[in-house]
Amino acid sequence: MDQPEISRAELPGMLARGAWVVTATRRLARALHLEYARHSSRESWPTPRILPWSAWIQHQYRELRDFGRLSEPQRCLDETQSAALWEQVLARDETASRLLLSAGVAEGFRDAWRLVHEWRLPWGELHARAHEDCRVFLRVARAYQRELDQRQALDGAQLAGVVAAGLAGTAGDPVVLAGFDRFTPAQQAMVSSLGARAHRLAAAGHRPVPQVLAFGDARAELAAAAAWARQQLEADPGARIGIVVPELEAHAPVLEQLLDDAVAPARLWPGHGDDPRPWNISLARPLGATPLAAAALELLAFAQGPMSLATVSRALRTPFTAAALTEGPDRARLEAWLREHSSEPIMPDALLRGLRGEGRAPGCPVLAAALTEALELLAETPRRRPASRWAADFSRALRVLGWPGEATLDSAEWQTLQAWSEALDALAGLDAVAGGLTLAEALTRLRRVLAERRFQPESPEVPIQVLGMPETAGLEFDALWVTGLHDGILPAALRPSALLPAALQRERAMPRACPDTERALAGRLVARLAASAGQVGFSYPLLEGDEPLRPSPALAPLGVPGAGASGRPGVAEILFAARRLEELTDQHAPPLGGAVRGGSALLGDQSACPFRAFALHRLRAHPLESARAGVDPRQRGSFLHDALRRLWETWGSQATAAGLEPHARTAAVRAAARPAAAQHLAGVPRGLVEIELEAGVQVIEQLVAADLERPPFAIAGCERPFELELGLLRIRGRMDRIDRVGEALVVIDYKTGAAAPADWDGERPGQPQMPLYALAQAEAVAALAYGSLKPGEVGYRGRQRAGDDDPLLLPGKQTVAVAAPEWEEMLAQWRRVLAGLAQDFAAGRAPVDPLRPQQRDGSCAHCPLPVLCRRDELLRAGAIGDE
């Protein structure tokens, strides 16, 4: 039976007389509330009874139950409880339990259950026509129903049927149904039970002449829509302007920029980022994705164990903890320290040590105390707790941590805080269907609750509304533009439930199951949108990437599409077009004003790229490190260097090492390596430490074996400091090891990576460290060598001065003998080159001039500053290159 229609003008009067308005969407309910407020002539009024369908059903059920109008009053499970019960039932089913029970699998069963009740599918017919997957669903559904019966409960999918039966034949206030394109059988049964009480709000009756436009791509289409919205707003500041975007979530980031550029350009200027916007994007996102809720989840997750560096970094930088403002600089320094000294994953104990300032870390005592107390609270016994206890403990732990922070929350954050409290209430409600939970299980449940709850803070009414297709139901505008209507969007792609017979879904014209039904719905949707405003336009993109697109068939009755014109230039384009270019070549920084100290890396960077030396050593433009999984190569290098130092300081000479039995030498190596590992691999998981220890012992033993083949030597120094003056630069450093062979000195530098003596030469040496050692050593150096600790390449490689009476200091093919005159010439060349590099640095010479920037072994390969020097732009312009 068709319901009598009422006009929009009649609606305020009916609401004032106590009528209900039940809407198809929450958006329409809010719009009608605002419309009623605008039409009211009084300063205050009773809240009109306008609710979306689901909320109205729940309200009616509570009234029927509380006033004793139900023969068997039952408790109604909320969505969180229902989902948990489905997961329990699925886990016990012999077939379903073999599936990877993700939330998506459970959601598929819940969706099929909902469709059965909304479309009133007979269980007998489902059994008769069931395929294998459907039989699994029917078996699980029976088990789920038994669980409901045991608890004397029902769920949201069953609610409409119970309410329809309870309202049948009863008197009451009129009920106006608004924004429904079609009713499901369950909704139709409800309308029938209302009888003469049911009315329908008349659809909008505008009769514009819609136009259809085609644009090159989605960005051009959205840019034109934003420019159109500005024109409408300028023509009538009070107009209700709508932009419909079918794939709103995917396009929202670009659309925000385009709308700001078109209708709120002042927001693009510094200091105006918080200016109000005359537009609003109606896009609810998962509650767990909001900054406040995401911070709370990550803080609670610290109690679970290992964490990624990204998680720790966000927690240190979040403003939603105690002393976040006052302790902020120290937390930023601690983050940088952790990036340099930690490996992933980061253990809670390692984080706490850093927060306490251990190991020379920048301490953060307020956060350290709060996190310690919170972790102790969450680690209390019993290990398994009811969900309500976990909800209370989570709240206590967050209060201890100072969440939601010191700063005053804005409106959106206050609404998020309220939504978070409701999410914890939903978690606590799991006591009705679940037993005790571990911390991990409770956090998993909470994450699911936050992921399933869509949240968008309420905002003031603004003239431009951007919405998705489903939210347009029942809304009216003064001007409307519907974008993105290509044939891949409308009609909607078929996606029937895999757990229900496909033929039955087509016969019942269920959603996303029948192409004819979807075509009819698409036509009906376009017709409704075309009548919902005085000015209406439709558009679609011609291309998506390289894929050509066609207009939706539902647009065919509106005529042949025209070519869309590009919108007006945006602020950025206008500013760029009005630019005045000035060319300035600036390759020199101010010269040094006095003596400067540095290490060998300073000259190495000046040689590799003068700009890099300037940025790193004068600007201190050091980027944040990225922690690596496992052991950082620098940690491994420090561990091996320290182990070798301890070993040779203990032995003192080759003779001592040679006098030991092999097993005794191995024991000595292990005795030196273990405390070195404890010092330099702190924070690394114990299993990895043992692996590194064994690998380190092996390479050290191999290098010791090479040492035993050399002429007898004594240790002249390990980690010996040096200082060398080169003009205004005072270069300081430490030599890994110096051996004395007779009267000759051999300088050794340990390397765990690739290194070649060829990098010592040239006007821009790749590795000036060894030349610096040679120049800094007061006594004559007779040999320079890398002690390679790289697995598979362990041994010595370098150069030694050759003479008639010189012994073979470093035997082997990797050592090059240099005649005495050439040796002195080489040292003089090094002194000249290094002095030149030092002079260039002191004078402020800092052009972007990398060595072999396009080669894998070039200066740019591992440079941390490509954005600062704009390397890629310079390469494209040909300003730098390999030649």
Side-chain angles (χ1 to χ4, degrees):
M1 181 179 68
D2 291 336
Q3 302 82 40
E5 285 191 346
I6 66 163
S7 67
R8 209 93 169 193
E10 297 174 279
L11 191 60
M14 291 192 69
L15 284 168
R17 293 190 295 273
W20 282 99
V21 174
V22 181
T23 63
T25 65
R26 293 183 180 276
R27 180 61 181 262
L28 179 56
R30 184 165 183 258
L32 293 178
H33 271 288
L34 293 172
E35 197 171 306
Y36 182 81
R38 281 195 299 266
H39 284 87
S40 179
S41 58
R42 294 175 294 177
E43 292 185 0
S44 62
W45 55 88
T47 302
R49 299 203 289 182
I50 306 172
L51 289 175
W53 174 269
S54 59
W56 180 75
I57 290 290
Q58 292 170 4
H59 176 86
Q60 294 299 316
Y61 179 78
R62 286 193 297 269
E63 283 205 340
L64 291 171
R65 182 193 61 195
D66 296 345
F67 287 97
R69 297 177 187 169
L70 296 176
S71 57
E72 296 182 12
Q74 297 169 292
R75 177 179 56 195
C76 183
L77 302 185
D78 62 27
E79 290 298 311
T80 302
Q81 294 167 328
S82 173
L85 194 57
W86 270 108
E87 289 171 16
Q88 292 175 31
V89 171
L90 284 165
R92 290 197 296 266
D93 184 82
E94 60 183 38
T95 301
S97 62
R98 290 196 290 269
L99 300 172
L100 181 61
L101 279 180
S102 64
V105 172
E107 182 60 30
F109 279 80
R110 291 171 61 195
D111 187 56
W113 173 265
R114 177 184 57 78
L115 288 171
V116 167
H117 287 86
E118 286 184 354
W119 291 84
R120 306 185 77 183
L121 302 181
W123 291 104
E125 187 172 0
L126 284 172
H127 278 281
R129 303 175 66 172
H131 49 67
E132 184 176 355
D133 289 342
C134 184
R135 285 192 289 272
V136 174
F137 164 71
L138 292 172
R139 183 172 64 250
V140 174
R142 285 195 300 271
Y144 176 72
Q145 184 61 60
R146 285 195 296 270
E147 293 290 337
L148 291 175
D149 293 341
Q150 289 174 10
R151 292 170 171 80
Q152 295 185 325
L154 47 76
D155 69 5
Q158 300 168 311
L159 212 53
V162 175
V163 172
L167 291 179
T170 61
D173 296 316
V175 178
V176 180
L177 301 157
F180 292 88
D181 287 333
R182 67 168 178 166
F183 291 122
T184 66
Q187 290 172 329
Q188 188 60 57
M190 175 69 71
V191 173
S192 299
S193 72
L194 292 172
R197 297 171 57 192
H199 298 70
R200 181 190 284 268
L201 183 63
H206 299 281
R207 297 184 180 274
V209 180
Q211 61 174 339
V212 181
L213 299 174
F215 292 86
D217 56 26
R219 185 182 180 89
E221 179 187 22
L222 295 174
W228 168 86
R230 173 166 185 150
Q231 294 171 358
Q232 298 298 320
L233 193 62
E234 290 174 343
D236 181 5
R240 297 169 299 168
I241 303 163
I243 300 176
V244 180
V245 184
E247 296 177 306
L248 183 53
E249 189 164 0
H251 293 302
V254 171
L255 191 53
E256 285 184 3
Q257 298 174 8
L258 294 172
L259 284 169
D260 271 346
D261 191 71
V263 300
R267 287 176 52 87
L268 303 177
W269 298 105
H272 292 269
D274 293 329
D275 286 2
R277 285 167 159 160
W279 57 269
N280 175 64
I281 293 184
S282 181
L283 180 62
R285 292 183 170 89
L287 177 57
T290 60
L292 193 66
L297 271 178
E298 291 186 335
L299 291 169
L300 293 173
F302 279 0
Q304 279 191 277
M307 299 155 290
S308 68
L309 176 63
T311 299
V312 173
S313 297
R314 286 192 297 268
L316 289 172
R317 283 184 266 132
T318 180
F320 303 122
T321 54
L325 299 178
T326 55
E327 210 172 59
D330 289 332
R331 295 182 189 180
R333 283 188 283 270
L334 177 60
E335 179 190 349
W337 187 89
L338 288 171
R339 286 175 175 272
E340 185 176 354
H341 294 87
S342 299
S343 59
E344 289 194 285
I346 296 177
M347 307 300 291
D349 288 346
L351 174 60
L352 286 173
R353 286 194 297 270
L355 289 168
R356 297 186 191 112
E358 298 177 14
R360 302 177 69 181
C364 305
V366 176
L367 185 57
L371 185 58
T372 299
E373 185 178 349
L375 294 180
E376 289 173 353
L377 189 156
L378 295 176
E380 291 176 353
T381 54
R383 182 171 172 271
R384 284 191 171 273
R385 309 176 200 175
S388 56
R389 167 78 182 278
W390 278 119
D393 287 345
F394 289 161
S395 291
R396 288 170 56 202
L398 289 173
R399 280 197 300 272
V400 166
L401 289 164
W403 186 87
E406 303 169 309
T408 301
L409 300 182
D410 60 25
S411 174
E413 288 167 343
W414 272 112
Q415 293 179 61
T416 306
L417 188 61
Q418 181 179 0
W420 170 270
S421 298
E422 293 170 358
L424 284 184
D425 289 342
L427 176 66
L430 289 177
D431 286 354
V433 295
L437 303 174
T438 64
L439 171 64
E441 291 168 344
L443 281 174
T444 298
R445 292 287 184 189
L446 181 57
R447 288 191 187 97
R448 287 187 187 175
V449 171
L450 296 171
E452 292 172 358
R453 294 192 170 220
R454 309 295 288 186
F455 172 77
Q456 182 178 20
E458 292 188 3
S459 57
E461 190 177 7
V462 290
I464 301 173
Q465 297 292 331
V466 183
L467 15 84
M469 196 73 78
E471 291 192 295
T472 62
L475 296 179
E476 289 191 46
F477 302 91
D478 296 308
L480 179 69
W481 186 326
V482 185
T483 69
L485 288 190
H486 58 81
D487 59 349
I489 289 292
L490 203 69
L494 298 185
R495 198 177 298 155
S497 171
L499 298 175
L500 301 175
L504 179 60
Q505 294 180 69
R506 288 193 296 271
E507 292 165 12
R508 299 299 179 100
M510 291 172 65
R512 311 293 290 272
C514 176
D516 292 339
T517 301
E518 294 306 318
R519 279 194 293 270
L521 287 174
R524 208 178 308 168
L525 174 61
V526 168
R528 171 170 64 74
L529 290 171
S532 61
Q535 178 185 341
V536 178
F538 296 89
S539 64
Y540 69 97
L542 292 168
L543 288 173
E544 184 174 358
D546 296 329
E547 180 184 357
L549 301 174
R550 295 176 298 178
S552 166
L555 297 177
L558 302 182
V560 178
S566 58
R568 67 169 68 181
V571 171
E573 293 177 76
I574 293 171
L575 291 176
F576 186 75
R579 70 195 184 280
R580 289 167 51 187
L581 295 180
E582 178 182 0
E583 186 172 334
L584 177 66
T585 302
D586 183 8
Q587 298 184 342
H588 278 80
L592 294 178
V596 172
R597 293 173 179 171
S600 60
L602 188 154
L603 291 182
D605 289 329
Q606 184 72 22
S607 176
C609 176
F611 177 81
R612 184 163 90 189
F614 167 70
L616 291 176
H617 300 282
R618 294 189 66 181
L619 297 182
R620 305 294 180 188
H622 297 281
L624 288 176
E625 300 280 348
S626 296
R628 306 179 183 217
V631 178
D632 188 281
R634 289 170 302 185
Q635 286 180 292
R636 181 180 297 116
S638 297
F639 152 59
L640 292 173
H641 277 63
D642 192 31
L644 283 161
R645 177 190 65 80
R646 294 170 185 267
L647 181 66
W648 284 109
E649 283 183 347
T650 300
W651 284 345
S653 68
Q654 184 205 55
T656 303
L660 297 174
E661 293 294 328
H663 70 275
R665 277 198 299 272
T666 300
V669 171
R670 195 175 297 279
R674 191 164 291 281
Q679 178 177 341
H680 297 283
L681 302 181
V684 176
R686 183 177 301 174
L688 283 180
V689 171
E690 291 300 320
I691 292 173
E692 289 293 325
L693 184 62
E694 291 304 316
V697 168
Q698 287 183 23
V699 295
I700 290 173
E701 284 192 295
Q702 291 174 33
L703 193 64
V704 168
D707 280 318
L708 295 179
E709 295 177 2
R710 294 171 50 197
F713 63 85
I715 301 299
C718 290
E719 300 290 334
R720 176 185 285 185
F722 74 89
E723 182 170 317
L724 177 67
E725 288 193 13
L726 294 171
L728 292 178
L729 298 189
R730 291 182 179 176
I731 305 299
R732 289 181 170 182
R734 290 179 179 273
M735 303 181 205
D736 290 344
R737 184 173 126 204
I738 302 175
D739 295 349
R740 184 178 296 278
V741 183
E743 297 300 320
L745 294 181
V746 178
V747 177
I748 295 172
D749 187 53
Y750 300 126
K751 292 292 183 183
T752 55
D759 291 333
W760 303 343
D761 301 324
E763 295 299 315
R764 295 175 65 178
Q767 295 285 342
Q769 190 175 23
M770 292 298 273
L772 278 171
Y773 291 169
L775 299 179
Q777 185 60 41
E779 301 179 62
V781 174
L784 300 164
Y786 286 135
S788 176
L789 298 169
K790 187 177 181 181
E793 300 178 14
V794 177
Y796 290 101
R797 60 189 65 185
R799 295 174 186 171
Q800 66 180 41
R801 184 181 58 202
D804 295 338
D805 300 325
D806 290 338
L808 197 60
L809 305 178
L810 292 166
K813 296 180 181 179
Q814 300 293 329
T815 301
V816 177
V818 180
E822 285 79 6
W823 182 269
E824 297 302 326
E825 204 174 292
M826 179 183 70
L827 293 179
Q829 172 80 355
W830 285 350
R831 180 173 292 279
R832 181 186 64 78
V833 168
L834 295 179
L837 292 173
Q839 183 178 356
D840 285 347
F841 181 82
R845 184 175 179 274
V848 179
D849 184 19
L851 286 171
R852 303 182 302 280
Q854 295 172 293
Q855 300 299 317
R856 294 181 62 183
D857 61 345
S859 300
C860 295
H862 302 291
C863 179
L865 306 171
V867 176
L868 186 61
C869 75
R870 302 169 75 172
R871 178 198 65 197
D872 293 342
E873 294 176 42
L874 294 173
L875 283 170
R876 285 195 296 269
I880 60 174
D882 289 341
E883 296 181 0

